[in-house]
């Protein structure tokens, strides 16, 4: 009997074709994640999803044939893993697919902030040619502080060497040899904030990382620091960041992620010309899209071939215990 695979969101055309050519699969491409075909869901053995398809108990109750869910994403906040475990559904994701894109966006923001590209363009738009209003800062010789030295943090550390930067990192969950391999100096969190010219966050959303940058720490930052967050919005207290920007405790900030997404167009963050904002586009490249689709397709085929799994969820990582309770197994 063929296994029915329901695709609920955008999926790379080449990967879709490849799946459709597998003799043992019946592939049903979905229209839009908001319009899941209920008749197909009931008989689906597998779901290929992205972050716009929330998986909850209600959906699992209907999908009685479901064996596996594969999310072509790195984040998994949209999946109730506890419910999946309860219903015996295997869950996998594709965390490696967007590392290059997310690391590249980090540098797009860092370089933009350091050379003040956005403010320089605004000068031209306003008919001014006053270059002394946008004096930048060289990255070479300066210190980058990385909070989280996993997949993306490690890639950013490698790029930093090419800019001639010294790199500090705080990550209590990885082995010392990883810091050595990457030529990165291990640092306590507060020291890193005090001694960096640029700080970039690459941590997951957990109870420990929630508001891990808050008023008390922002007040004691190295003055003139550039802050970058491409990880999760909950990591930085936005209200405290606005106060820090108003008081001039920071040189600038660049954010791709927010406490509430989409960001409210009335957000106070929008009033600062030195703040760069992007709408969660860290994984938004054609390359990451293709890599995630293909990785998800291969995981699916292998699962039905011999039951093999990779990048299963919940993640087998030491920080998983610090996830909010709704993410955890009973
Ligand atoms: P990863 O799991 O490979 O790395 C995360 C690292 O954070 C791990 O090394 C872990 O030990 C460390 N960590 C966990 N808790 C910590 C804590 N309390 N203090 C310091 N370090 C801690 O993840 P990744 O693939 O590198 O992704 C990093 C973040 O970027 C995730 O939040 C991910 O969801 C986000 N992300 C965002 C986008 C985007 O579109 N902006 C794209 C991809 C990933």
């Amino acid at each position: 009997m063929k296994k029915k695979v329901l695709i609920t969101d955008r999926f790379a055309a080449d990967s879709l074709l490849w799946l459709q050519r597998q003799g043992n699969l019946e592939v049903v491409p979905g229209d839009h994640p908001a319009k899941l075909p209920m008749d197909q869901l009931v008989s689906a053995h597998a779901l290929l999803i992205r972050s716009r398809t929330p998986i909850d108990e209600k959906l699992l109750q209907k999908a009685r044939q479901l064996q596996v869910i594969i999310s072509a994403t790195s984040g998994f906040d949209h999946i109730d893993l506890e419910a999946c475990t309860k219903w015996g559904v295997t869950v996998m994701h594709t965390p490696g697919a967007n590392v290059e894109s997310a690391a590249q966006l980090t540098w797009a923001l860092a370089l933009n902030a350091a050379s003040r590209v956005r403010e320089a363009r605004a000068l031209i738009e306003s008919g001014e040619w006053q270059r002394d209003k946008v004096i930048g800062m060289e990255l070479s010789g300066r210190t980058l502080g990385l909070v989280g030295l996993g997949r993306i943090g490690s890639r950013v550390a490698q790029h930093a060497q090419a800019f001639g930067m010294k790199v500090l990192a705080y990550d209590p969950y990885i082995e010392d040899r990883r810091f050595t391999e990457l030529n990165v100096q291990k640092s306590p969190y507060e020291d890193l904030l005090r001694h960096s010219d640029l700080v970039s966050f690459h941590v997951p959303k957990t109870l420990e990382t929630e508001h891990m940058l808050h008023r008390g720490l922002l007040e004691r930052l190295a003055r003139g620091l550039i802050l970058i967050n491409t990880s999760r919005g909950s990591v930085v207290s936005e209200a405290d960041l606005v106060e820090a920007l108003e008081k001039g405790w920071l040189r600038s900030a660049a954010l791709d992620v927010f406490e509430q997404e989409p960001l409210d167009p009335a957000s106070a963050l929008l009033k600062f010309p030195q703040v760069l904002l992007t709408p969660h586009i860290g994984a938004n490249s054609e390359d990451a899209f293709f890599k995630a689709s293909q990785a998800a397709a291969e995981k699916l085929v292998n699962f039905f071939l011999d039951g093999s799994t990779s990048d299963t969820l919940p993640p087998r990582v030491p920080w998983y215990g610090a996830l909010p309770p709704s993410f955890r197994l009973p």
Side-chain angles (χ1 to χ4, degrees):
M1 192 189 75
K2 286 192 175 193
K3 298 288 185 186
K4 182 182 275 192
V5 182
L6 183 57
I7 303 182
T8 70
D9 205 333
R10 293 185 313 125
F11 206 72
D14 287 355
S15 307
L16 176 62
L17 203 63
W18 183 73
L19 275 180
Q20 285 168 331
R21 287 196 184 128
Q22 307 291 321
N24 59 337
L25 302 179
E26 178 196 341
V27 183
V28 184
D31 242 4
H32 190 278
K35 292 184 252 156
L36 272 193
M38 275 308 148
D39 53 328
Q40 303 285 5
L41 184 66
V42 172
S43 51
H45 299 100
L47 289 182
L48 278 183
I49 65 169
R50 299 177 64 84
S51 53
R52 294 187 299 174
T53 305
I55 301 293
D56 56 17
E57 182 102 36
K58 247 171 59 195
L59 179 142
L60 294 167
Q61 271 166 3
K62 290 187 190 115
R64 302 307 286 263
Q65 303 297 321
L66 198 60
Q67 296 175 356
V68 62
I69 297 172
I70 303 176
S71 187
T73 57
S74 132
F76 49 90
D77 323 14
H78 53 295
I79 308 172
D80 182 339
L81 296 173
E82 200 175 314
C84 290
T85 306
K86 183 174 141 195
W87 288 88
V89 175
T90 301
V91 187
M92 292 180 258
H93 69 149
T94 58
N98 54 26
V99 171
E100 287 300 329
S101 288
Q104 180 176 307
L105 179 71
T106 303
W107 285 107
L109 295 173
L111 295 169
N112 220 309
S115 295
R116 304 182 65 178
V117 176
R118 179 183 182 271
E119 293 160 89
R121 185 195 152 109
L123 274 187
I124 291 191
E125 281 172 351
S126 68
E128 288 185 68
W129 198 267
Q130 295 183 37
R131 287 176 296 181
D132 51 354
K133 282 193 172 170
V134 285
I135 305 291
M137 139 188 157
E138 286 184 356
L139 294 183
S140 176
R142 291 235 160 61
T143 301
L144 168 67
L146 293 172
V147 185
L149 198 59
R151 296 180 193 88
I152 298 169
S154 296
R155 197 69 184 117
V156 173
Q158 287 169 331
H159 294 153
Q161 324 277 342
F163 285 108
M165 299 187 81
K166 175 181 172 182
V167 186
L168 307 178
Y170 167 69
D171 190 327
Y173 294 109
I174 57 169
E175 291 174 17
D176 285 356
R177 71 174 166 79
R178 187 69 186 135
F179 291 83
T180 316
E181 278 165 12
L182 289 163
N183 195 19
V184 164
Q185 191 180 317
K186 188 173 176 173
S187 168
Y189 180 45
E190 292 204 30
D191 289 359
L192 176 146
L193 294 178
R194 265 197 300 272
H195 296 120
S196 298
D197 300 292
L198 199 144
V199 167
S200 189
F201 284 86
H202 302 284
V203 289
K205 175 181 174 173
T206 69
L207 291 174
E208 280 175 3
T209 63
E210 181 161 4
H211 287 186
M212 82 184 278
L213 190 59
H214 54 78
R215 190 183 193 287
L217 292 172
L218 283 160
E219 226 178 332
R220 299 202 294 278
L221 285 176
R223 289 290 175 264
L225 180 120
I226 295 173
L227 162 72
I228 300 188
N229 186 15
T230 58
S231 63
R232 281 293 178 260
S234 56
V235 169
V236 177
S237 161
E238 274 170 27
D240 294 355
L241 176 60
V242 166
E243 183 188 352
L245 287 160
E246 277 164 351
K247 293 191 168 150
W249 296 343
L250 288 167
R251 177 187 294 256
S252 58
L255 310 172
D256 183 47
V257 286
F258 305 94
E259 288 184 287
Q260 289 296 324
E261 295 182 8
L263 180 68
D264 183 346
S267 164
L269 287 167
L270 281 148
K271 72 182 177 189
F272 302 101
Q274 76 275 33
V275 172
L276 294 163
L277 305 169
T278 49
H280 204 143
I281 57 166
N284 235 28
S285 71
E286 55 195 39
D287 308 273
F289 176 59
F290 177 74
K291 282 188 267 186
S293 300
Q294 190 55 27
E298 286 172 17
K299 283 176 200 295
L300 181 87
V301 168
N302 290 335
F303 180 80
F304 284 128
L305 191 68
D306 57 11
S308 62
T309 57
S310 55
D311 298 315
T312 47
L313 293 170
R316 291 178 177 80
V317 287
W319 50 261
Y320 184 63
L323 284 175
S326 63
F327 277 58
R328 262 180 277 145
L329 289 172

